[in-house]
């Protein structure tokens, strides 16, 4: 039976893009429930400026309350040396760094070119190597950019290869505004896999146009075996107007179970967690699977 790894990004990528603040105790309960469902990689926070991302201001408290040496991995987003210092203080085992395949997106997002943004990670990567911390790389806008439109697959491949060369063990390819369709995703994957082994690639799909599950299925058939998802479809992209949240974890797990793929996750427990997660924000889950199975599961 084939296996797939699900990287749960709800407590970080999901919540950070929600306007309503969620308290630390609720975040910890969400993470506990996610782990209980069988998820073994759960993004737990981000060491970023609380001025720009207030939802992540308590990341140190969250990490200090978790068992970081156990079976569950709790990566955190680290944008710079200051964030790396905080990650080290928290005792994390894995961090994530972000790049973009779009010059316009990079400039508007962090006021730096792609090359400048990647160069900023040199000292972060050096520290990670010295401290034995694994680093995962993200590439945004791998299909389209909200400012400059379609992105050339070769550009995505170039940025992904740079992150690999810097020392990232895995590169997550993000359809940030959710406009991708399977044919375009496959064209992008073909280009990237010429420079980065497909075993070191992951898919990160947003569901703005309802294409995320189709794109995941196509990516799986192309050999991708790691996918990012967000419980209950939490979050979105603050830099892309109208972009909905990441694909819901429960929808991805339902697909994988239907394909006969083992991802080590109990779907009924996950669906209950989706209702809990959405309830923290005063709404129902956006995912079809959570709605279909209901809270009774």
């Amino acid at each position: 039976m084939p296996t797939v790894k699900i990287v749960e990004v709800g407590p970080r990528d999901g919540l950070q893009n929600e306007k309503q603040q969620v308290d630390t105790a609720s975040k910890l309960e969400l993470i506990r429930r996610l782990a209980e469902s069988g998820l073994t990689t759960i993004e737990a926070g981000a060491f970023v400026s609380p001025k720009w991302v207030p939802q992540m201001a308590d990341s140190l408290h969250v990490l200090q309350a978790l068992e970081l040496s156990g079976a569950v991995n709790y990566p955190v987003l680290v944008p710079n040396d200051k964030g790396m210092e905080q990650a080290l203080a928290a005792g994390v085992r894995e961090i994530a760094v972000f790049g973009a395949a779009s010059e316009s997106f990079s400039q508007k997002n962090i006021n730096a070119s792609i090359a400048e943004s990647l160069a900023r990670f040199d000292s972060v990567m050096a520290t990670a190597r010295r401290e034995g911390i694994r680093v995962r790389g993200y590439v945004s806008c791998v299909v389209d950019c909200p400012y400059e439109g379609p992105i050339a697959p070769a550009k995505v491949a170039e940025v992904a290869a740079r992150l690999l060369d810097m020392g990232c063990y895995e590169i997550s390819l993000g359809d940030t505004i959710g406009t991708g369709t399977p044919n375009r995703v496959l064209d992008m994957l073909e280009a990237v896999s010429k420079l980065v082994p497909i075993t070191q690639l992951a898919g990160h799909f947003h569901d703005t146009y309802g294409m995320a599950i189709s794109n995941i299925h196509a990516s799986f058939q192309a050999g991708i075996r790691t996918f990012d998802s967000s419980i209950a479809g939490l979050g979105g992209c603050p830099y892309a107007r109208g972009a909905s949240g990441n694909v819901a974890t429960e929808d991805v797990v339902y697909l994988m179970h239907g394909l006969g793929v083992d991802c080590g996750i109990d779907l009924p427990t996950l669906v209950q967690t989706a209702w809990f997660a959405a309830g923290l924000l005063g709404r129902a889950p956006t995912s079809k699977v959570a709605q279909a199975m209901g809270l009774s599961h």
Side-chain angles (χ1 to χ4, degrees):
M1 178 186 287
T3 60
V4 153
K5 182 176 83 172
I6 305 291
V7 176
E8 173 58 53
V9 301
R12 197 280 300 172
D13 193 30
L15 288 182
Q16 80 169 29
N17 292 316
E18 297 284 353
K19 289 184 174 64
Q20 184 177 327
Q21 288 293 116
V22 176
D23 63 75
T24 305
S26 297
K27 289 177 184 174
L28 287 167
E29 177 61 14
L30 172 59
I31 290 169
R32 185 193 69 77
R33 290 178 183 229
L34 289 166
E36 199 172 67
S37 75
L39 286 154
T40 56
T41 301
I42 304 170
E43 270 197 343
F47 290 114
V48 293
S49 169
K51 176 185 174 184
W52 298 112
V53 192
Q55 188 76 264
M56 294 292 108
D58 62 348
S59 288
L60 180 60
H61 298 301
V62 170
L63 269 295
Q64 286 175 333
L66 296 171
E67 175 51 68
L68 299 184
S69 60
V72 179
N73 188 29
Y74 297 108
V76 296
L77 178 66
V78 170
N80 50 37
D81 288 326
K82 184 178 179 182
M84 189 64 179
E85 286 175 21
Q86 293 173 300
L88 289 174
V92 302
R93 293 184 295 173
E94 181 177 323
I95 63 167
V97 296
F98 261 87
S102 157
E103 287 290 353
S104 304
F105 190 85
S106 186
Q107 289 286 357
K108 288 181 180 289
N109 189 347
I110 58 171
N111 198 32
S113 69
I114 294 173
E116 288 169 342
S117 71
L118 296 177
R120 290 177 182 178
F121 295 135
D122 283 340
S123 58
V124 170
M125 301 300 292
T127 302
R129 280 192 297 274
R130 188 175 67 245
E131 300 292 336
I133 293 172
R134 300 206 316 163
V135 184
R136 189 175 196 243
Y138 282 94
V139 184
S140 301
C141 301
V142 300
V143 179
D144 287 315
C145 167
Y147 311 111
E148 63 183 76
I151 298 298
K155 187 64 180 179
V156 183
E158 179 188 322
V159 176
R162 177 84 174 89
L163 286 167
L164 184 73
D165 290 343
M166 290 171 70
C168 293
Y169 77 92
E170 184 172 81
I171 317 296
S172 177
L173 303 168
D175 179 16
T176 307
I177 57 174
T179 53
T181 50
N183 57 322
R184 298 182 67 207
V185 168
L186 290 174
D187 286 347
M188 180 270 296
L189 287 178
E190 182 181 8
V192 177
S193 62
K194 288 175 181 174
L195 299 182
V196 180
I198 202 142
T199 53
Q200 290 179 269
L201 295 174
H204 183 114
F205 295 99
H206 284 231
D207 206 31
T208 316
Y209 285 82
M211 288 288 104
I213 287 294
S214 297
N215 290 332
I216 288 170
H217 188 209
S219 300
F220 174 79
Q221 290 180 311
I224 301 293
R225 291 295 179 267
T226 300
F227 295 98
D228 302 351
S229 59
S230 177
I231 190 71
L234 298 181
C237 177
Y239 304 101
R241 189 163 60 91
S244 63
N246 296 291
V247 65
T249 306
E250 56 272 24
D251 288 355
V252 179
V253 172
Y254 183 84
L255 169 68
M256 292 304 159
H257 285 181
L259 294 172
V261 174
D262 178 24
C263 47
I265 298 166
D266 181 74
L267 185 57
T269 303
L270 191 69
V271 166
Q272 283 192 324
T273 304
W275 281 91
F276 172 79
L280 294 175
L281 301 167
R283 62 177 189 244
T286 59
S287 72
K288 298 291 188 185
V289 168
Q291 291 173 14
M293 290 180 67
L295 186 56
S296 61
H297 285 80

